[in-house]
Each structure stands twice: as structure tokens, then as C-alpha cells.
Amino acid sequence: MAKRHPQGPEPDSPAHTHQELHATSKGIRVPAFHDLAKRLRFAPDQGRIWLDDQRMMLMHVSSLGSLRQELIESLDKETARGLITRIGYQAGTRDAAMARKVRAGLNTYDDFLAGPQLVSLEGMVHCEPVALDIDVQRGRYFGEFYLVDSSEAEAHIASYGIGNEPVCWMLIGYACGYTSAFMGRPILWRETECRGMGHAKCRVVGKPVEEWEDAQDDLRFLRIGDFVKWAPQAEEQLPATSRIAAGLTSAPENSFGVVGISAGFNTVCHMVNKVAPTNATVLFLGESGVGKEVFANNLHRLSKRADGPYVAVNCASIPEHLMESELFGVERGGFTGATTSRAGRFERADHGTLFLDEIATLSFTAQGKLLRALQQGEIERVGDTRTRQVDVRVVAATNVNLREAVKAGQFREDLFFRLNVFPIEVPPLRERRDDIPLMMNWFLQRMGRRHDKHITGFRESAVDAMFAYDWPGNVRELENMIERAVILAEDGGALDLCHLFTGGEEVDTTAFMLKRSGSIGRVGKLGGTESLSAAALGHSGLAETEVAMLRAAVAEANGNLSQAARVLGISRAKLVYRLRKYDVMPEAR
Ligand code: ZN
């Protein structure tokens, strides 16, 4: 159990010089929220409301109540609770990104309290902190809040009256999403008292998933239930999905990378669930490293062929002249040097699933044979005259646009149509950032075990950077980066930027800095004792980096300095001062 620090900020944190403070009745000091409130902008002539760069919408609480009621009645209470919790989770991770941007450079507590303040600003509930203990680096978290006047409870009570269970599902989801994104590890919140149960106000407690004794029930609402089947039965009682969601150490190795909560991830899971029990050919599309092979593997495990073989072939890794014999087998004397008969992957996958990765690299001959296998369920070994019947479900994947490949004459059109029965697009990691904290923790645990090292977590600046980075290499890149960092880091320490972004990968620091607060203070912090390597800074000095950032922001805003300042998270006056200082003030417009 984490210790409570009712005094709020840790003693050695810098004094609250940046912001006006006030004390709540409980003694935890909450910073003023002007910095957040001023990001809320109404543009009625455009039909828009902005909270920073997120478009918002005003909704009647009574309408939310009707929506909830309809969801509960038309689905069932558990399913509705799952949906609503996950929507809250996604909102929470969005706000965590904004909080980091707006409050960057302040101390951890003020930084964190932006979340509860945003919830108030958004009209969901008023939060009163009771106890808060945060140590991002060591992964320590304990939070306790009163939620006063929950709009969600109000909506629920209007439909169902007072009940015997907590009802603030969206708020709990929000708290989980916000805190997990903030900490870079899964934090679970639970409502111990709720207005929906007749209490005067709701009371919530949050701590790391591992510290809850019976987390699986709550985690179920953050996950896709059907993926429970993924785990070997004997492994443990906790459902696999919960373990995967939590990134707990006991999760099976072969499910790696299958963690997520984003809308994109859920859509893929939903489609995999739908198609798995059928015999349909499935085609996974998406960039390299998004985890297509992991989804294919899970599709097999969820299928009626789960007890049959699962054979995976990466078509790109097999030399073209061996491809046919690899896939379809070879008969003795079939070609020079074929001294024994051998079954190919197709035969080995009989009554099971054959996964063909990077399908676009198949030769035309192999494509023809594959088509025949798909259409007639029969194959012919190389050098053989008879055909053999096989019962194989083919699942294919590619990062190539096959329609284009057909047009370019590189891929058979008939095969394309045969494969494209049920395409599933796996979105790149940068389009499902909500999944990043779960994955960070998942891979950290996994790599810690692999290299026998105890790493406590991620430093805040590292969590920030992981969130902002664009991940061109997707999940695989994240996995590799964390593995390397675990090897580099001190045993018993935390992962920092210098372990993660070691310069091997192309870190677009300009973009990265702009996407964060763009805050110059932040750059100084990274370049100081926390030392971002020179390589990661693109071998340019701090001043050059800053000038590049200022220029980029001004250009992006088409010379509108107020807008550029907003992008950078500094005042217009500060921006003007800096532009003058470096003599890069744009011509007056
Ligand atoms: Zn409540």
C-alpha cells in the first residue's frame, strides 16, 4: 500500500512560484485553473467549441441520461458499462496529453491535478483531493478524491433512482485513462461511495493495478471480453485479457503486444472476434510493426481450428526459388537434390490455419498455386503428379496496397479478390496513442524478465516523449526501444530519455517539441542533467533547436503570432521577445 502524503507536493519539489494557490478544506493545494480555462474557446459562428486542440461539444445531462438508459436497455448493463467506461478512458488519455502540454515544467502534483480540474471545467463533476502520492519514476501512485455533484450519477438516478452499486462509470474510465497515461502504467480506480447509492458525494480511490487484490472484475470493463480465450487455461485464474490489460507479469509470452484500449484497437478486436469462428479467408492490412501477426495468431486461437496447427510463414524471408517447395512440399526426385519427399507448410497446416505474412512478395507462380489451393482446397507437391486435398484456412497479411500492386501487374487480380474477402486494417500506433501506456508497461515487464533486471518505471520526461513520438516502426519499434532501454538502464532505476531515444531511430525533435508544449523550459530540462543525447537532438545546439521551433510554429500559424504562441504554449509577449532575441522576427503583416 502506498503511503499517503496529505500535504500534497513532495517537500523537495520547487515552490509553487508559477501559479496562484489555494488550499482546500482537506489541505491538498490545488493550483488555479486559469491556464486550463483559457484554452476553452467558443467559436459559435463556426459551430465549434475548442478545448486546446480538441473539438468539444455541449450536451444536455438529461440527453446523456437517455443515452445511458438506451444503452443499458438495448445491450445489457454489463456491456453498457464496458462501453461507457472505455469512452471515459479515451477522454482521460486525451486530457492527459493536454495536461502535460499546459502544465509542463511545473511540479508533478500541479501537473497531475490538471486532470481533476479539467473534469470540473468540462462540467462532469467537481473533484476534491483527499490524498495524493505520486512518484512516476518509481511507479508509485495513490489517489483518493471526493467527487461532488457527479453529472453522471445525476443522469443515472433520473432513470433508475438510487441503487446498490456505484454508477459513475465514465468518470472511473476517465480517471483510469488519465492516470494511466500520466503514469505510463495502468492505474485502476474504483468508486467506494457513490451518489447513485445514496451517499452525499462519490468517493474514488486509485492505485496501480497490481495493488488491487481483485482487479479482474474492474478490468473486464476496460477490455474486450471474448479475448479471454487467448490464455492457456491452466495459467492462472485471472482472465488473460485482464492480465494483458494490466501488463501483469504472469501474462502469457505469446500474447505479447496485444494490449490496447483505443477505438482503433477495439475495432480490430471486434472484427477478429466476428470472423474467427467462420472459415473465411482473412487479409490483415497495415504498416510494418503494427502487430498483424499477433492478431492472426489470436484469430486462430479464437477459431474452431484452435486445436489444429497454426503455421506462420513470412513470404519475404524465403528465397523465391525455394518458395514453392516450402509452401507446397516436394516429392523425391522432384528437382535436382530433392532426395527425400517432404510436406510443405500447406500440408502441415492441414485442419488448422496457415498465416502468410508479406503476401505481396510471392512470385507469380506461387500466387497461381496459392489461388488453386484456396479455390479447390488441393495442392501439388513440386515434382509430383498427383494432387492432395488439404483443409487449410488461409490468413494473409501485407503492408503493400494490393490494389496498386494489381494495377502495376505485380499481383494477380484473381488472387487479390480471393484474399480480400474479409480485410482488417490494423491502424498504426500513432493513430491509437491511448494504447501506448499499456504497451509501455507491458513491454517493460516483459523485457525486465527477459534480461533479469528490475526497472521501476519511466521518468516523466520519458513518458512524455513516448506519447508524443510518431512511431514510424509502430509496436515493434516501441518493443525494441524498450528492450534496448532496459539493457542500458541501471538495475533498480527508471527508464529515461537517454536510454530510450538513443539516436539510432530518427527522432524528429522539432516536431516532438512542438507537439508537446513546445515549451522552451522543457528543452532546457532535457538538455540539462537529464541529458538527452546529442544524437537525439539532431546534433544541433539548444539555441538552434529553439530557433527551429519558433520558426516552425510561426510558419504553421501563417505568421499569426498569437496563434503560434498558443501552439508553443507560451504567451504572445514571450514569443515576440524570443523572436527578437534570435533576430528571427517575421516581417510585419
Ligand atoms: Zn458516483
Side-chain angles (χ1 to χ4, degrees):
M1 170 64 80
K3 271 180 269 162
R4 301 178 187 201
H5 287 215
Q7 300 312 312
E10 65 264 68
D12 58 348
S13 71
H16 293 72
T17 48
H18 297 79
Q19 299 213 336
E20 176 197 331
L21 295 168
H22 67 268
T24 67
S25 55
K26 295 288 176 184
I28 291 186
R29 300 190 296 175
V30 179
F33 63 89
H34 303 133
D35 56 342
L36 302 172
K38 75 181 183 195
R39 310 228 161 201
L40 182 61
R41 299 189 303 279
F42 292 85
D45 47 343
Q46 297 158 22
R48 281 164 197 261
I49 302 172
W50 295 102
L51 180 58
D52 199 49
D53 56 358
Q54 298 283 316
R55 186 173 176 179
M56 308 296 282
M57 191 186 81
L58 284 176
M59 187 180 185
H60 302 89
V61 171
S62 54
S63 309
L64 175 73
S66 312
L67 177 66
R68 275 177 68 102
Q69 191 174 346
E70 286 221 24
L71 282 174
I72 293 169
E73 303 300 333
S74 62
L75 301 167
D76 65 68
K77 200 170 121 205
E78 301 293 274
T79 314
R81 180 179 161 188
L83 260 172
I84 293 171
T85 309
R86 288 198 294 274
I87 288 168
Y89 190 102
Q90 286 158 18
T93 56
R94 302 271 181 295
D95 278 359
M98 177 190 162
R100 290 193 167 280
K101 193 161 91 175
V102 176
R103 293 266 164 99
L106 300 181
N107 71 59
T108 307
Y109 285 80
D110 285 2
D111 218 352
F112 179 80
L113 286 168
Q117 290 181 296
L118 282 168
V119 171
S120 301
L121 187 64
E122 290 162 16
M124 283 153 63
V125 74
H126 173 66
C127 304
E128 280 178 4
V130 178
L132 194 54
D133 175 36
I134 310 173
D135 190 334
V136 178
Q137 208 173 317
R138 293 190 182 81
R140 201 177 69 213
Y141 185 88
F142 180 85
E144 186 177 354
F145 286 80
Y146 278 122
L147 307 182
V148 185
D149 263 343
S150 156
S151 54
E152 196 176 3
E154 190 178 311
H156 190 91
I157 292 168
S159 304
Y160 295 101
I162 301 290
N164 51 13
E165 281 176 332
V167 300
C168 299
W169 306 329
M170 197 186 291
L171 282 172
I172 286 294
Y174 181 100
C176 295
Y178 180 83
T179 320
S180 301
F182 189 89
M183 293 293 293
R185 68 167 56 203
I187 305 292
L188 183 64
W189 288 79
R190 194 177 278 175
E191 229 182 339
T192 55
E193 291 169 19
C194 181
R195 259 189 78 203
M197 297 162 71
H199 296 102
K201 44 192 174 183
C202 307
R203 189 161 156 248
V204 291
V205 173
K207 51 190 182 178
V209 167
E210 315 82 83
E211 291 177 24
W212 291 99
E213 276 170 18
D214 46 355
Q216 63 269 41
D217 205 41
D218 306 68
L219 287 169
R220 198 152 43 86
F221 295 108
L222 293 171
R223 315 291 333 132
I224 304 287
D226 294 349
F227 277 60
V228 167
K229 289 184 203 157
W230 285 352
Q233 290 301 315
E235 183 111 22
E236 214 186 294
Q237 287 196 333
L238 185 60
T241 49
S242 308
R243 277 184 276 126
I244 292 165
L248 298 184
T249 49
S250 53
E253 285 288 304
N254 51 6
S255 300
F256 75 90
V258 187
V259 285
I261 186 151
S262 65
F265 177 83
N266 276 323
T267 305
V268 174
C269 292
H270 178 71
M271 293 182 82
V272 169
N273 273 322
K274 278 272 175 216
V275 77
T278 72
N279 261 324
T281 304
V282 176
L283 179 62
F284 284 99
L285 303 165
E287 293 177 11
S288 292
V290 290
K292 299 187 286 291
E293 67 289 353
V294 181
F295 285 108
N297 192 344
N298 284 300
L299 188 147
H300 169 71
R301 284 203 243 169
L302 290 169
S303 75
K304 292 177 184 145
R305 298 165 174 266
D307 293 334
Y310 174 77
V311 178
V313 185
N314 186 334
C315 301
S317 70
I318 299 171
E320 199 177 322
H321 67 282
L322 293 178
M323 180 60 80
E324 279 180 66
S325 54
E326 269 302 312
L327 285 184
F328 304 104
V330 67
E331 197 61 19
R332 193 153 69 104
F335 59 82
T336 324
T339 51
T340 51
S341 297
R342 181 161 56 84
R345 310 278 179 119
F346 252 99
E347 281 176 73
R348 275 185 261 160
D350 202 13
H351 300 296
T353 307
L354 177 65
F355 175 55
L356 299 173
D357 204 356
E358 307 212 40
I359 189 94
T361 60
L362 281 185
S363 70
F364 248 80
T365 324
Q367 287 179 29
K369 286 200 164 191
L370 174 59
L371 181 66
R372 182 170 157 198
L374 286 170
Q375 279 172 340
Q376 284 148 29
E378 57 184 38
I379 54 128
E380 204 172 280
R381 287 183 180 179
V382 175
D384 203 356
T385 47
R386 67 191 179 106
T387 56
R388 293 161 199 263
Q389 292 294 315
V390 283
D391 171 22
V392 173
R393 180 190 201 175
V394 171
V395 176
T398 181
N399 56 5
V400 169
N401 184 332
L402 287 183
R403 277 181 205 281
E404 296 295 319
V406 168
K407 269 188 211 154
Q410 290 153 354
F411 203 81
R412 290 181 64 131
E413 191 174 27
D414 44 9
L415 178 60
F416 167 67
F417 286 123
R418 191 64 191 71
L419 288 172
N420 201 36
V421 178
F422 197 91
I424 299 180
E425 176 97 36
V426 184
L429 189 54
R430 65 183 167 278
E431 286 173 19
R432 46 182 175 119
R433 288 183 197 271
D434 297 351
D435 299 339
I436 292 174
L438 296 175
M439 288 188 179
M440 283 165 64
N441 188 61
W442 170 254
F443 288 123
L444 180 67
Q445 304 296 338
R446 189 157 175 266
M447 297 309 170
R449 279 200 307 285
R450 178 182 292 179
H451 300 291
D452 195 22
K453 262 182 140 171
H454 175 67
I455 305 292
T456 57
F458 293 83
R459 293 186 71 106
E460 278 166 75
S461 48
V463 178
D464 260 14
M466 303 286 279
F467 236 90
Y469 184 52
D470 254 3
W471 302 108
N474 291 298
V475 182
R476 190 173 301 134
E477 183 183 14
L478 187 136
E479 179 184 15
N480 291 343
M481 190 185 282
I482 292 180
E483 174 157 30
R484 190 173 56 228
V486 165
I487 295 168
L488 286 171
E490 290 283 319
D491 203 6
L495 297 189
D496 200 353
L497 275 173
C498 57
H499 307 123
L500 291 158
F501 296 89
T502 49
E505 63 287 309
E506 291 172 14
V507 187
D508 185 349
T509 49
T510 312
F512 151 60
M513 285 157 189
L514 283 175
K515 279 196 178 171
R516 302 265 18 101
S517 65
S519 139
I520 283 114
R522 201 76 185 170
V523 181
K525 193 173 163 194
L526 303 183
T529 48
E530 289 182 65
S531 173
L532 183 65
S533 72
L537 267 173
H539 300 287
S540 62
L542 212 49
E544 280 155 290
T545 312
E546 189 179 330
V547 169
M549 280 167 51
L550 297 171
R551 283 202 160 124
V554 173
E556 198 176 276
N558 291 321
N560 181 332
L561 295 186
S562 304
Q563 197 183 329
R566 269 200 300 279
V567 169
L568 290 164
I570 59 177
S571 68
R572 189 180 184 280
K574 256 187 197 159
L575 175 64
V576 169
Y577 169 78
R578 289 183 182 277
L579 290 169
R580 292 221 170 99
K581 177 178 155 194
Y582 293 115
D583 204 18
V584 287
M585 189 73 174
E587 307 261 319
R589 283 151 41 103

